[in-house]
Amino acid sequence: MKYKIGYRTIKTALGTSISIMIAQMLQLDNFVSAGILTILCIKVTKKKSLHASWERFFACLMAMVFSSLFFEGLAYHPLVIGLLLLFFIPAAVMLKVSDGIVTSSVIILHIYSAGDVTKELLVNELGIITVGIGVALVANLYMPSLETKLREYRLQIEENFKIIFDEIVLYLRTNESTWDGKEITETIELINEAKTLAFREVENHFLRNDDLYYNYFKMREKQFEIIERVLPSVTSISLTVEQGEMIADFIEELSEHIHPGNTAIQFLEKLYRMKICFEDMELPKTREEFEARAALLHFVKEMERYLIIKSSFKGLRIAR
């Protein structure tokens, strides 16, 4: 059975070893706890790692204060540990550092085991916290770029859009199709996966919101909702009419221009001209023709919404 070791696993393994070695070199008591802190602070994105590190650092400082007050003020007794936690946990939750409760509990037990709060003990615990969290932050400075994977998702989604449009063109011209529709479910999955990955990329930047890809996939998601909505009305058309041929030509051209740039305004203008042309054409002569043209008109209105969504997106300046 094949399995893949991810970069986060590698960073966790190396970071844990390094933090323990540093703590041991500094001759800190309970030096292995630095490794535990490193494990807990290495996250999938830089922002999550920084947030986790801050919560644990602050919670550990709180634990040192609470331990000094409770153990020195009352007694070094197991019941005092329970009493301390009754006050410490709600305080950590209230200050929004609840993720640091487990880590800080280790600090509390260290102080309890020492049986006496001294300056040396507090400096030791502060050293463990600094080494463990510091190594995790340094390890998380490296995050592999997701640009290549995001580009692959973009190309796959655009290709599926083209396939779906080509099938619509074929049906409008022939009223026949053998398409199995697998691109529908596939595109839904691709968009969801792409949005998740794009959000991770946003979370890996501290000083800028590099969310163009995320906005791009959100835009495609909204467009795809329209595609899903119009497919039943298109496939309900049972008659080939002149307007259908004109729309097929328009969709065929549109399918050749599915890319991250923004050319929606040009196609909106073509769509408006086509609608004006429809208004000048003869009225339907049969009920079947009327129903076909009504369905086509509905399709045109939905495609107008499709293009308006794209026109609001500023585009991705990347090569196809």
Side-chain angles (χ1 to χ4, degrees):
M1 180 178 179
K2 294 182 178 180
Y3 64 95
K4 184 179 178 180
I5 299 177
Y7 72 93
R8 184 185 171 194
T9 302
I10 295 171
K11 288 198 299 185
T12 302
L14 289 175
T16 302
S17 299
I18 292 170
S19 61
I20 292 174
M21 283 193 293
I22 293 174
Q24 194 169 8
M25 286 171 57
L26 293 173
Q27 297 183 340
L28 298 175
D29 294 331
N30 302 305
F31 53 81
V32 292
S33 296
I36 296 173
L37 275 168
T38 301
I39 293 171
L40 293 172
C41 291
I42 290 181
K43 300 293 182 181
V44 293
T45 68
K46 290 181 181 178
K47 285 185 179 179
K48 285 184 178 179
S49 177
L50 183 63
H51 183 72
S53 298
W54 160 248
E55 284 198 20
R56 285 172 172 79
F57 185 80
F58 189 77
C60 286
L61 293 180
M62 283 177 57
M64 291 165 66
V65 173
F66 272 72
S67 297
S68 299
L69 292 174
F70 277 79
F71 294 140
E72 291 294 316
L74 297 175
Y76 285 84
H77 191 278
L79 291 177
V80 177
I81 296 177
L83 182 64
L84 186 159
L85 293 175
L86 283 175
F87 286 90
F88 174 75
I89 293 174
V93 173
M94 183 179 66
L95 294 173
K96 298 181 180 180
V97 291
S98 56
D99 283 350
I101 291 173
V102 174
T103 309
S104 53
S105 297
V106 175
I107 302 299
I108 291 170
L109 295 176
H110 284 175
I111 296 174
Y112 173 80
S113 298
D116 185 26
V117 176
T118 63
K119 178 182 177 181
E120 290 74 19
L121 176 63
L122 296 179
V123 169
N124 183 86
E125 297 304 309
L126 188 60
I128 290 172
I129 297 166
T130 303
V131 170
I133 293 176
V135 170
L137 286 175
V138 171
N140 264 345
L141 287 177
Y142 169 74
M143 287 290 181
S145 174
L146 302 174
E147 177 81 21
T148 300
K149 189 63 179 176
L150 288 169
R151 182 173 180 273
E152 289 174 3
Y153 273 115
R154 176 181 66 79
L155 292 173
Q156 286 179 312
I157 290 169
E158 290 172 358
E159 180 61 27
N160 279 10
F161 269 49
K162 185 181 186 307
I163 291 171
I164 294 169
F165 278 160
D166 288 344
E167 291 296 333
I168 290 175
V169 170
L170 179 64
Y171 189 83
L172 288 174
R173 287 175 175 163
T174 66
N175 287 125
E176 295 179 0
S177 177
T178 57
W179 181 44
D180 59 8
K182 70 180 179 67
E183 283 79 13
I184 298 295
T185 54
E186 186 179 290
T187 304
I188 294 172
E189 293 174 0
L190 285 171
I191 289 174
N192 288 333
E193 291 171 6
K195 283 198 306 175
T196 301
L197 198 66
F199 186 73
R200 276 180 56 188
E201 183 73 352
V202 174
E203 289 278 290
N204 277 332
H205 297 100
F206 294 126
L207 302 178
R208 62 188 174 96
N209 288 325
D210 193 11
D211 56 358
L212 271 179
Y213 264 112
Y214 183 78
N215 290 335
Y216 172 79
F217 293 125
K218 283 290 291 183
M219 178 269 294
R220 287 302 185 195
E221 182 179 46
K222 291 177 182 177
Q223 285 187 316
F224 192 69
E225 289 172 358
I226 291 174
I227 293 174
E228 286 186 295
R229 195 160 62 236
V230 299
L231 280 175
S233 64
V234 171
T235 54
S236 69
I237 300 171
S238 58
L239 181 69
T240 301
V241 295
E242 185 180 356
Q243 291 85 352
E245 289 288 347
M246 294 170 65
I247 293 170
D249 291 341
F250 175 80
I251 298 300
E252 186 173 41
E253 184 181 1
L254 183 61
S255 73
E256 296 297 329
H257 292 82
I258 299 174
H259 54 70
N262 200 338
T263 55
I265 298 298
Q266 300 172 26
F267 282 98
L268 277 170
E269 291 173 354
K270 291 180 181 181
L271 191 67
Y272 292 148
R273 289 197 295 269
M274 185 169 63
K275 286 170 68 177
I276 292 172
C277 185
F278 287 169
E279 292 173 0
D280 294 334
M281 298 175 79
E282 291 185 4
L283 294 174
K285 297 178 181 179
T286 64
R287 180 184 178 84
E288 190 177 25
E289 184 184 353
F290 172 79
E291 291 175 346
R293 288 174 64 172
L296 288 169
L297 182 60
H298 171 70
F299 176 64
V300 168
K301 287 181 178 178
E302 290 290 355
M303 290 312 298
E304 183 179 352
R305 294 189 183 96
Y306 172 95
L307 290 169
I308 289 172
I309 289 171
K310 182 64 184 293
S311 68
S312 65
F313 179 70
K314 60 184 179 181
L316 286 174
R317 295 180 180 177
I318 48 182
R320 181 166 185 175

